[in-house]
Amino acid sequence: MAAGVATWLPFARAAAVGWLPLAQKTMPKPPVDKKSRSDEILFVNVSGLRFQTWKNTLDRYPDTLLGSSEKEFFYNEETQEYFFDRDPEMFRHILNFFRTGKLHYPRHECIQAFEEELAFYGIIPEIIGDCCMEEYRDRKKENQERLAEDTEAENAGDAPLPPGATLRERLWRAFENPHTSTMALVFYYVTGFFIAVSVIANVVETVPCRPIKGSIKDLPCGEKFSVAFFCMDTACVLIFSFEYLMRLYAAPSRCDFARSVMSVIDVVAILPFYIGLVMPENEEVSGAFVTLRVFRVFRIFKFSRHSQGLRILGCTLQSCASELGFLLFSLTMAVIIFATVMFYAEKGTKGTNFTSIPASFWYTIVTMTTLGYGDMVPDSIAGKIFGSICSLSGVLVIALPVPVIVSNFSRIYHQNQRADKMRAQQKVRQARIRMAKKGATNAFLQHKEDGGLQDGDSGSTALCVKNRSAFEHQHHHLLHCLEKTTNHEFTDEVTYSEVCMTDSVGFRTSRSTSLSSQQGATTSCCSRRAKRRAIRLANSTVSVSRGSVQELDTLHITKTPAGTQYPQSRSSLNARTEDLKLNCDDYTAAIISIPTPPANTPDESLPNSPAIPGILRNSRSNTYNIQETVKISSL
Amino acid sequence: MGALMVIFSLQKDQRRKRTDSVEDELELSAVRHRPEGLEQLEALTRFNRKELQILYRGFKNECPSGVVNEDTFKDIYSQFFPQGDASKYAHFLFNAFDTNKDGSVSFEDFVMGLSILLRGSVQEKLNWAFNLYDINKDGYITKEEMLDIMKAIYDMMGKCTYPLVKDDTPRQHVELFFQKMDKNKDGVVTIDEFIDCCQNDENIMRSMQLFENVI
């Protein structure tokens, strides 16, 4: 029930006394009201901004947070007030709703934020007052469209194909997104070129060329070089037919494809040629055949696959269909009216051009669109008067729907621009988000590397362990618990793909550690303890080839599985330095600091250098010569 | 030419709007009503100060102009009976509350009516009810008046009832009522007959206490 209804309920109940003498049955007992009837002022503190209101005001809407007992959860005993940690500006509007019974939408606020506040306080947005409902709905629709674009851009065909794609799917993808593969791009440009060639040929065909020797008359080029043009035409049609058939084959839904506008255009573009082939050399039929040649000009519409602007224009016209229809209708009406008037006005004139009403149509149209060819001109005074009225009103009738069409076009154009920008930025955004996520995982993995999970002395962990917040501690503990539960361990993607790739034995000497370190390459090892004995990690050559510099600050220390000597391969500086068996082959160095790669590391047993706090030098060695490992990290 | 016509009509609209707005302003200013002071109302009614404050705050919130007109009254009352049509009964109620017959219920009317209904003696309540039923306020309840009231009440029920409300259900109810109340069978019920009869009816007497603690 609506707002102030609660206020009037006592009145309605009182008025029920009027039914009592008429009642045929006994009245039911009234509900016992235990609440104190007296009104009191409540204090509501929203992020420091204190509001005060009568309790009755809030009680008006018992199904909201503030009107029900739910607000007791937010009651602060010490300060004797209700504390909400929400936006105080928005709360103003919420409270006004309770006071006046009408919910208004503040125009300067983000619609999502507003809806979230409403959801928190238990108010449905449908009760926004009429004054603000329009604005709210428009903004909401706009927002939804924008979000839909975002998700669309995410799911756009730029996503890599699933590995098991059939030829058909690959072909279709190549057709729809030409920039995905070089072949597709080549094909795209080739067809574009041939469309242009075909259109130009059609045009040039009709240009008068110099006549052949012996003749005086100018010939159109098409007849002079008929063989050449025929060959060109054939080539183009062959290419177009081939393209059409390929598309038809590759289309996921052939019926839908056959019905789509583009395919219709394709068919119309190549049909005249085939019809011309099968048509007999008949005089009268060839007349019709010539008309068919006109359809060749439709090839120019094939450009819309290549040009986004054309598509936008088409889209605009589609969306403005009703306005265009109205324009057409009003024009037709005006044309008929004025043509009739002009015809009857000019009826009396001798030798007039206005021979019939349909003949006057031409005059009316030419005049209303302010063309004024002058081939038909009124003579009588009445004709001239009505002619001038016609031209004046013509301007108005045409000017009316044009702004609508223009605004539609601009809206769709901007939408497209936005979509394109979104797509372009999407990749960067996704990459950043991925990195942020990886940061968290990396932190955990590094934490493991640093031996934080060991029950060893915590004092030595101080050296290389970065500062971690309480949150991180707990988070890492949680991840560790999960590892224990499943008896598996977390690694990173590179390691994972490596493991997938190199499941075989084989290892290579890893002199190129220094190389990789110089390049600051990012590599990682598989840190699967379970597989440690079985798998020997690919060496740094592999890692070099993979050298993609990460733009992260985190150091990614990984361990090798080659734990022939020691089951655990945690080689941390702090922990038993004597046991530093080399397990870790690779490391990731941030680009910030490229650690000085000791070129002779692999074979030497380097003494640990704890002098440099947190610097661990890592050297790779093959699994057989397990030497000391010193990790290099960058802080 | 069309443009000229459009311009002319626009001007006419503007002129009309200007005169309208002036009238509207007059109307608005006339309808701002301030009630009597708290003390006077305390004397007139049986509510105490706090209760009057609460009542007034609610009233003023719903009707900032200080008075309720009949349409608002009907709207408010209809919200309590969404299934049926409460407008006719609301009309009768409005007339019962509007004691000075000026077409609007001010806060004083409202609060005095409530005082009778909630804090009044049984006699006063019955008086009020009689006043409600007596549409033309001539001191007699005729069968037609009662039928109107009854139909209005049954209208509030709407059509989804069990058992269904037939066409002559109100009439039958009126007959019942008159059988009970019309002692001298003269076809009308006077105030004395009414009060007498109600005081002798235990059910009615008991139900009169029902709404005592509404406020």
Side-chain angles (χ1 to χ4, degrees):
Chain A
M1 286 221 276
V5 165
T7 329
W8 292 95
L9 186 59
F11 153 73
R13 296 178 72 197
V17 166
W19 306 335
L20 299 180
L22 308 174
Q24 292 183 3
K25 298 238 173 70
T26 44
M27 291 292 179
K29 283 215 164 42
V32 179
D33 200 2
K34 295 204 194 80
K35 279 198 312 215
S36 71
R37 274 276 157 226
S38 65
D39 210 358
E40 47 172 349
I41 295 188
L42 297 179
F43 297 96
V44 179
N45 187 340
V46 183
S47 301
L49 205 58
R50 270 184 113 222
F51 294 89
Q52 298 174 12
T53 179
W54 291 110
K55 187 160 170 300
N56 276 1
T57 311
L58 295 182
D59 286 345
R60 282 211 198 119
Y61 296 93
D63 52 354
T64 60
L65 185 153
L66 291 169
S68 63
S69 57
E70 196 182 341
K71 62 179 184 282
E72 302 304 325
F73 285 101
F74 298 92
Y75 190 69
N76 189 348
E77 298 291 349
E78 296 107 49
T79 50
Q80 298 268 305
E81 61 188 11
Y82 296 92
F83 181 75
F84 294 99
D85 198 6
R86 311 284 298 188
D87 188 356
E89 302 297 317
M90 293 282 202
F91 188 74
R92 215 167 47 81
H93 302 286
I94 308 279
L95 200 52
N96 271 340
F97 165 64
F98 281 91
R99 291 183 184 135
T100 62
K102 286 203 275 278
L103 182 61
H104 294 280
Y105 167 60
R107 274 152 222 242
H108 55 272
E109 300 282 0
C110 169
I111 186 124
Q112 289 271 75
F114 185 64
E115 284 195 329
E116 278 164 18
E117 291 296 309
L118 285 186
F120 178 80
Y121 291 107
I123 300 173
I124 45 174
E126 274 69 31
I127 48 180
I128 289 184
D130 287 335
C131 44
C132 298
M133 194 46 148
E134 183 92 28
E135 172 89 16
Y136 169 77
R137 263 206 286 259
D138 286 343
R139 291 277 288 268
K140 186 157 180 186
K141 204 161 59 133
E142 212 181 283
N143 206 30
Q144 270 172 348
E145 274 177 14
R146 216 167 280 186
L147 288 178
E149 276 169 26
D150 281 356
T151 45
E152 235 181 71
E154 272 181 37
N155 307 337
D158 290 0
L161 269 182
T166 65
L167 171 70
R168 212 175 135 185
E169 287 175 8
R170 275 210 295 269
L171 211 55
W172 180 247
R173 220 170 136 255
F175 278 131
E176 292 298 299
N177 302 320
H179 50 269
T180 45
S181 82
T182 337
M183 269 311 297
L185 211 55
V186 163
F187 186 73
Y188 176 74
Y189 282 126
V190 161
T191 43
F193 172 72
F194 272 99
I195 296 175
V197 160
S198 160
V199 169
I200 292 176
N202 277 348
V203 165
V204 168
E205 242 180 12
T206 58
V207 171
C209 280
R210 246 182 308 205
I212 41 185
K213 283 216 176 68
S215 155
I216 320 160
K217 209 170 49 156
D218 263 344
L219 267 185
C221 279
E223 289 181 24
K224 189 165 172 202
F225 303 103
S226 59
V227 175
F229 277 106
F230 181 72
C231 289
M232 222 174 340
D233 201 26
T234 314
C236 292
V237 169
L238 277 178
I239 296 218
F240 296 152
S241 321
F242 173 69
E243 183 204 353
Y244 180 69
L245 289 172
M246 283 281 101
R247 277 187 205 260
L248 194 62
Y249 166 69
S253 157
R254 300 216 170 104
C255 282
D256 281 343
F257 174 74
R259 279 191 302 212
S260 73
V261 176
M262 286 312 302
S263 86
V264 166
I265 292 179
D266 286 339
V267 169
V268 169
I270 58 178
L271 220 45
F273 181 80
Y274 289 112
I275 295 185
L277 279 185
V278 302
M279 209 137 56
E281 286 295 337
N282 206 337
E283 261 310 312
E284 51 209 39
V285 183
S286 64
F289 169 62
V290 167
T291 341
L292 268 182
R293 284 178 134 212
V294 167
F295 283 100
R296 289 192 303 175
V297 82
F298 272 87
R299 290 183 195 163
I300 208 172
F301 283 117
K302 288 169 67 78
F303 265 131
S304 61
R305 274 215 186 91
H306 298 252
S307 152
Q308 206 192 21
L310 263 183
R311 277 200 297 268
I312 296 181
L313 197 58
C315 203
T316 312
L317 291 176
Q318 218 177 358
S319 74
C320 306
S322 66
E323 279 84 26
L324 283 175
F326 165 68
L327 171 63
L328 214 57
F329 175 69
S330 58
L331 262 180
T332 315
M333 242 179 35
V335 160
I336 295 180
I337 292 176
F338 279 109
T340 315
V341 167
M342 288 306 296
F343 172 70
Y344 283 113
E346 285 288 303
K347 209 160 183 262
T349 324
K350 266 195 167 22
T352 182
N353 275 334
F354 296 79
T355 50
S356 68
I357 295 189
S360 316
F361 281 167
W362 174 245
Y363 168 76
T364 320
I365 291 179
V366 166
T367 315
M368 282 188 92
T369 53
T370 69
L371 271 178
Y373 286 136
D375 55 349
M376 281 168 87
V377 171
D379 272 327
S380 62
I381 298 191
K384 288 194 176 145
I385 292 179
F386 287 119
S388 43
I389 295 176
C390 173
S391 63
L392 286 176
S393 57
V395 179
L396 257 186
V397 171
I398 294 189
L400 283 176
V402 168
V404 180
I405 298 178
V406 165
S407 79
N408 260 0
F409 178 81
S410 125
R411 182 173 60 86
I412 294 181
Y413 180 72
H414 283 305
Q415 244 175 17
N416 255 301
Q417 295 283 71
R418 222 182 22 229
D420 283 344
K421 259 196 290 186
M422 271 284 135
R423 258 190 290 260
Q425 292 172 348
Q426 200 68 316
K427 298 203 173 137
V428 179
R429 271 176 74 198
Q430 298 286 34
R432 280 209 211 111
I433 292 177
R434 262 201 301 271
M435 287 198 185
K437 283 199 191 144
K438 272 217 275 184
T441 331
N442 289 343
F444 177 61
L445 291 174
Q446 170 170 0
H447 171 52
K448 286 208 299 184
E449 291 299 331
D450 298 346
L453 297 178
Q454 269 181 342
D455 299 322
D457 43 355
S458 54
S460 42
T461 59
L463 265 182
C464 62
V465 169
K466 291 207 294 205
N467 244 349
R468 256 168 307 122
S469 62
F471 170 78
E472 281 192 336
H473 276 292
Q474 292 165 4
H475 187 216
H476 292 163
H477 174 254
L478 185 67
L479 293 175
H480 194 215
C481 288
L482 185 58
E483 283 187 335
K484 292 274 186 233
T485 313
T486 57
N487 205 18
H488 284 77
E489 280 191 4
F490 287 109
T491 84
D492 57 11
E493 318 152 349
V494 187
T495 316
Y496 167 71
S497 51
E498 262 183 27
V499 169
C500 290
M501 262 190 332
T502 66
D503 216 337
S504 54
V505 186
F507 66 98
R508 287 158 240 160
T509 38
S510 46
R511 294 257 169 183
S512 30
T513 304
S514 36
L515 196 59
S516 52
S517 76
Q518 268 162 349
Q519 296 172 349
T522 306
T523 54
S524 53
C525 319
C526 177
S527 57
R528 294 243 168 135
R529 238 185 288 174
K531 294 196 187 155
R532 222 159 265 150
R533 306 197 189 166
I535 300 175
R536 305 193 212 153
L537 196 62
N539 64 357
S540 56
T541 50
V542 177
S543 54
V544 163
S545 62
R546 267 186 281 117
S548 58
V549 178
Q550 258 186 3
E551 293 166 20
L552 289 175
D553 301 350
T554 58
L555 184 63
H556 198 65
I557 301 183
T558 59
K559 306 170 270 200
T560 20
T564 51
Q565 304 252 334
Y566 280 81
Q568 72 227 53
S569 63
R570 246 192 296 268
S571 35
S572 48
L573 187 59
N574 43 32
R576 307 144 303 211
T577 54
E578 311 77 41
D579 320 335
L580 279 184
K581 302 308 175 183
L582 209 210
N583 301 358
C584 200
D585 283 356
D586 304 337
Y587 58 87
T588 309
I591 31 177
I592 308 173
S593 65
I594 300 183
T596 53
N600 48 359
T601 349
D603 292 334
E604 289 177 15
S605 332
L606 287 172
N608 293 324
S609 46
I612 313 168
I615 305 273
L616 306 166
R617 274 172 299 133
N618 192 350
S619 72
R620 172 198 305 266
S621 73
N622 58 42
T623 54
Y624 284 163
N625 329 338
I626 298 181
Q627 318 299 334
E628 289 178 354
T629 312
V630 184
K631 287 191 227 138
I632 301 182
S633 75
S634 67
L635 288 178
Chain B
M1 185 168 69
L4 290 174
M5 283 169 39
V6 168
I7 295 175
F8 276 136
S9 58
L10 277 177
Q11 277 203 336
K12 240 195 323 169
D13 275 324
Q14 278 182 350
R15 253 180 279 126
R16 225 182 308 135
K17 268 206 247 301
R18 261 180 271 130
T19 49
D20 275 347
S21 62
V22 171
E23 288 167 7
D24 280 334
E25 275 179 39
L26 289 176
E27 208 181 280
L28 275 177
S29 54
V31 183
R32 237 169 293 142
H33 176 91
R34 238 173 287 129
E36 313 268 353
L38 260 182
E39 292 79 16
Q40 278 142 311
L41 281 179
E42 256 186 296
L44 284 172
T45 67
R46 296 200 185 81
F47 292 117
N48 63 21
R49 214 179 164 83
K50 262 199 158 235
E51 289 167 338
L52 281 174
Q53 281 179 336
I54 297 176
L55 278 173
Y56 186 67
R57 281 205 295 269
F59 185 84
K60 179 84 175 170
N61 232 313
E62 297 308 312
C63 317
S65 59
V67 293
V68 193
N69 60 7
E70 184 159 345
D71 289 328
T72 323
F73 202 85
K74 283 189 180 162
D75 276 338
I76 293 169
Y77 206 71
S78 307
Q79 284 173 30
F80 293 103
F81 305 99
Q83 278 192 309
D85 174 24
S87 51
K88 279 206 279 182
Y89 188 70
H91 168 76
F92 296 129
L93 260 189
F94 186 81
N95 286 341
F97 270 89
D98 186 14
T99 41
N100 52 359
K101 300 287 168 268
D102 61 353
S104 62
V105 169
S106 66
F107 183 63
E108 290 97 342
D109 297 333
F110 178 70
V111 100
M112 283 200 287
L114 274 188
S115 161
I116 294 176
L117 287 172
L118 300 177
R119 304 283 164 93
S121 66
V122 174
Q123 177 95 352
E124 287 173 344
K125 289 186 192 170
L126 290 174
N127 223 333
W128 189 91
F130 186 85
N131 209 7
L132 173 70
Y133 304 145
D134 185 10
I135 297 178
N136 55 2
K137 312 283 181 259
D138 62 354
Y140 301 105
I141 305 181
T142 63
K143 280 206 179 156
E144 286 73 27
E145 290 175 338
M146 203 60 222
L147 189 58
D148 282 341
I149 301 267
M150 205 59 81
K151 279 206 203 142
I153 294 183
Y154 275 95
D155 276 345
M156 281 200 289
M157 294 289 296
K159 50 184 177 69
C160 305
T161 58
Y162 178 77
L164 285 179
V165 173
K166 300 199 206 41
D167 282 339
D168 63 343
T169 315
R171 185 167 287 280
Q172 283 177 353
H173 199 154
V174 170
E175 293 300 325
L176 273 175
F177 175 78
F178 265 78
Q179 270 172 12
K180 210 164 55 160
M181 302 278 169
D182 191 9
K183 284 289 154 34
N184 56 2
K185 303 288 177 237
D186 57 353
V188 293
V189 176
T190 63
I191 178 99
D192 306 305
E193 284 177 339
F194 182 72
I195 295 185
D196 255 341
C197 199
C198 289
Q199 280 178 331
N200 293 338
D201 188 335
E202 268 187 37
N203 276 339
I204 298 182
M205 286 284 110
R206 232 196 331 250
S207 55
M208 284 290 169
Q209 327 305 348
L210 269 183
F211 297 107
E212 302 257 289
N213 56 351
V214 163
I215 295 232

